[in-house]
Amino acid sequence: MDYFVSTVIFTGIALIGVLGVYLITGLTGLFSLGQAAFMAIGGYVSAVLIRNYNVPVVPAVALAIVAAMLAALLVGLPTVRLRRDYISLVTLGFGEAIVALLNNSANITGGAMGISGIPQLTTLPVVLVSVVVCLALVILYKNSKYGRQCLALRSDELAAKSMGIDVYRLKLITFLFAGALTGYSGVLFGFYTTYLEPAAFNWIISAEWTIIVFVGGVNSLTGTVLATILLTWLPEFLRFASEWRVAIYCVIVLLIVNYRTAGIMGERELSPKTLRRLLGRTKEAPR
Amino acid sequence: MLVQNILNGISLGSVYALIAVGFALIFNVLKFSNFSQGGVMTVTAYAGYVASRYLSDRLDSLVLFAAVLAAAAVSGAVIAAAVERLAFRRLRRTKSEPVYYFISSITMGILLENLITIYASSNFYSYPRFFATSAVPLFGVNVAVTDMMMFALSIAALLALLFILHRTKIGLGIRAACFDVNTVQLMGMNPDFLVTTALMISGALGGVSGVFLGMNYTLYPQLGQMVVKGFVASVLGGLGSIHGAVIGAVLLGILEIFFISWVGAGWAPVFVFIVMLAFLLVRPRGIAGIIVQEKA
C-alpha cells in the first residue's frame, strides 16, 4: 500500500511539472530544455528557507514559487523576442547553469552531495489537492483569452501578431505561469523525498517531460494528463523486465510517436460535453 | 598560459565542431535538431573501445588509433542509418512536422544510451594510451599529443565533409535536398537515399567525436549527453550553417577552457550561459548571419 501511495504521489508531482511543459510546448509551441531547473529552484529555495532559516512552511512555499517565477522572468525577458529555436537553447543553458550553481554553492545547498533532512510535508491529500488546483488553473488558462491567443500564436506567430496579439507579452506570461507550476512541483518533490541533489534536474528530465506531452497529444490537455499517468506508471509495470525497462519504455514511446503521431488523444479533450456524449445522454446535433 | 588555453580550447572546440556540423547538416535537410546523435556517440565510443581491445595486440600506436577511429566512424554511420529507418522514415512518409522528428530523435538517443547502459552496466572504462609520448613542445608550451591529433583529425574530417558536399554528386543531391526534398524527388533523385546518406555522414562524424570524447574523459554511458555542446555550437553558429557551426564550436571550446582556468570547472557553465545570452541579444541571427525566415 505504501508503495502504491508513493507511486501516486510521484505521479502527481510529475503531473504538475508536465503541466508546466504543456503550457509552454502544447499551448505556445516553444521548447524548454531547462524546465527541470525551475523544479530545482522551487525545491531548493523552500528547503533552504525551512531548514536553514526556520521560515514557516506557507511563506517558504510562496517564496519558492516567487523565486521560480523570477527565474522564469530572468530567462524569458531577453529570449521571448528571439527565434523559437533560441528559446530551447537559452533554457538548456540556463538549466545547466542552475545545476552548476547548485553544485558550487556547497555552503548553502550542500553541493553535489545534495541537501538532506528536509521535513516530509508532502502527503497524499496534499498532492491530490495540489493536482486538482493546478489542473483547474491550467484548464482555466487554456480556455481564457490568453489560452486562445497562445493557440493562435502557436499555429502562426506572424498572423497572431497582425491580429493585434502582443506575442512577446503572451509568451512571457505563459513562461512565468509554467515556471510557477514547475517550481511548485519541485517544492512538493523536496518535501516528499526529504533529499535534493543537483544531478536530478538535468536537461534529460526536461526532455522526458516534453516527450510525455507529445505522447499524450500536443493538442490535448486530457492526453497530457493521461500520458503522464501512463508513462510514470509504465516503468513500475515493467519492473519484471528489470534493466530492460527504460529501453522498452523508449520503444513504446517511439511506436506512439511514429505510428500515432498526433499522440494518444489527438486533439480530443475530455470535457463535460464529450463526457455526456460518451454516456449517451444527449443526442448528436443534426448536421 | 594564454597560448596554452587557446590551444586547448581549439582542440576541444574541434571535437565540438564534429558534433555541431552533424547537427547543422541534418538541420539543413530535415529542419530539426537531431538529438539522437548523442546516443550514436555513446555507442560509437564503446564500439571504438571494443575495437581497441581486439586490435591492441596486433597493431600499435598510430595504426591502432586509425583503426579504432575507422571502426567508430563505420559503426556510427551504420547506427545512424538504422536510426533513420526506425525513427524518421515513417515520419517522412506521413510528412510530419519537424517537432515530431525532434521528439523521435530524443527518444532514440535515450534508447541507445540505455542499451549501452545494459551492455556495460554503468561501469567505467578507459581507452588505452595510443601514443608513447604524451606531450610535445609547441610555441613554448607543452601540447598533448592527443589534443593535436584531435585537432588535426577533426580538421581532416571537416574537409572531407566539405569535399563530399561540394565536389561529389551525392553532395550536390544533399545540398539540393536542403532546399526542397520534394523537388529533389521530381528531379529523379531518391530522397530516402539522400537523407540516409546525410544521416550516415553525421553519424560517422559523431563516431569520430565519440572516440575523442571517450579519450578525453572516461567511457560512461552518459557520454553522449555531451551532444548538447554540439547543439549549442550549431545554434550559435546560425541554424543550418556548416561554417557557422565550426566557428561556434571553436569559440565555445575556447570559452569553456578559459572559464575553467579562471573560475574553475564548476562555475564555467554559469559564465558560458551568460556569454551565450549576451551574444544572442547582440546578434540574434547567429554567427553565420543567415536570417532564416519565419513563415510569412
Side-chain angles (χ1 to χ4, degrees), chain A residues 83 86 101 104 246 258-259 261, chain B residues 87 90 100 114 266-267 284 292:
Chain A
R83 277 178 51 83
Y86 290 144
L101 211 61
N104 285 282
V246 183
N258 280 282
Y259 287 90
T261 310
Chain B
R90 208 188 135 76
Y100 296 109
N114 265 284
W267 285 103
V292 186

Side-chain angles (χ1 to χ4, degrees), chain B:
Chain B
M1 194 60 194
L2 185 73
V3 182
Q4 178 87 61
N5 278 341
I6 290 178
L7 288 178
N8 288 347
I10 290 175
S11 103
L12 182 63
S14 59
V15 180
Y16 291 169
L18 292 177
I19 314 170
V21 164
F23 263 97
L25 189 63
I26 301 308
F27 190 90
N28 265 328
V29 183
L30 294 173
K31 317 294 178 219
F32 77 102
S33 296
N34 178 23
F35 271 88
S36 68
Q37 185 82 339
V40 174
M41 278 155 54
T42 303
V43 178
T44 56
Y46 278 83
Y49 174 75
V50 172
S52 76
R53 287 296 293 272
Y54 272 108
L55 297 171
S56 58
D57 306 335
R58 280 156 240 169
L59 306 168
D60 54 50
S61 73
L62 209 54
V63 186
L64 173 64
F65 186 53
V68 167
L69 282 182
V74 169
S75 60
V78 171
I79 293 159
V83 167
E84 195 275 337
R85 192 70 195 77
L86 296 174
F88 305 141
R89 181 67 60 92
R90 208 188 135 76
L91 288 175
R92 287 200 299 112
R93 289 275 182 280
T94 52
K95 302 217 184 317
S96 305
E97 286 176 50
V99 282
Y100 296 109
Y101 289 82
F102 177 73
I103 297 299
S104 203
S105 77
I106 285 195
T107 314
M108 202 66 207
I110 299 175
L111 175 62
L112 289 174
E113 184 186 307
N114 265 284
L115 291 178
I116 288 295
T117 312
I118 294 167
Y119 163 75
S121 55
S122 305
N123 286 334
F124 287 74
Y125 297 96
S126 57
Y127 273 97
R129 279 183 58 199
F130 290 109
F131 310 109
T133 48
S134 57
V136 290
L138 187 77
F139 301 126
V141 290
N142 279 326
V143 183
V145 173
T146 40
D147 277 358
M148 274 169 55
M149 279 292 165
M150 283 189 331
F151 177 69
L153 287 166
S154 302
I155 297 291
L158 293 175
L159 288 176
L161 170 71
L162 287 180
F163 178 81
I164 293 175
L165 279 183
H166 291 276
R167 291 282 179 275
T168 64
K169 224 171 179 178
I170 295 175
L172 186 68
I174 291 176
R175 281 187 295 138
C178 296
F179 279 109
D180 191 336
V181 176
N182 296 326
T183 315
V184 160
Q185 200 163 4
L186 288 176
M187 296 298 138
M189 280 177 273
N190 181 355
D192 287 347
F193 173 72
L194 291 177
V195 169
T196 309
T197 313
L199 268 157
M200 285 177 80
I201 294 174
S202 96
L205 292 174
V208 175
S209 65
V211 172
F212 287 157
L213 289 175
M215 282 163 58
N216 236 0
Y217 308 97
T218 46
L219 272 180
Y220 55 100
Q222 287 77 28
L223 191 71
Q225 294 182 10
M226 298 289 283
V227 72
V228 295
K229 309 287 187 190
F231 171 65
V232 171
S234 72
V235 179
L236 285 181
L239 286 160
S241 159
I242 304 249
H243 301 90
V246 173
I247 299 171
V250 172
L251 283 182
L252 183 66
I254 294 178
L255 264 183
E256 280 194 349
I257 295 285
F258 266 93
F259 281 128
I260 286 172
S261 78
W262 284 341
V263 294
W267 285 103
V270 181
F271 285 85
V272 170
F273 169 66
I274 293 169
V275 172
M276 194 169 84
L277 200 58
F279 175 81
L280 283 180
L281 288 176
V282 177
R283 197 175 164 83
R285 53 194 178 280
I287 294 166
I290 308 167
I291 302 169
V292 186
Q293 189 80 37
E294 297 259 5
K295 64 179 167 188

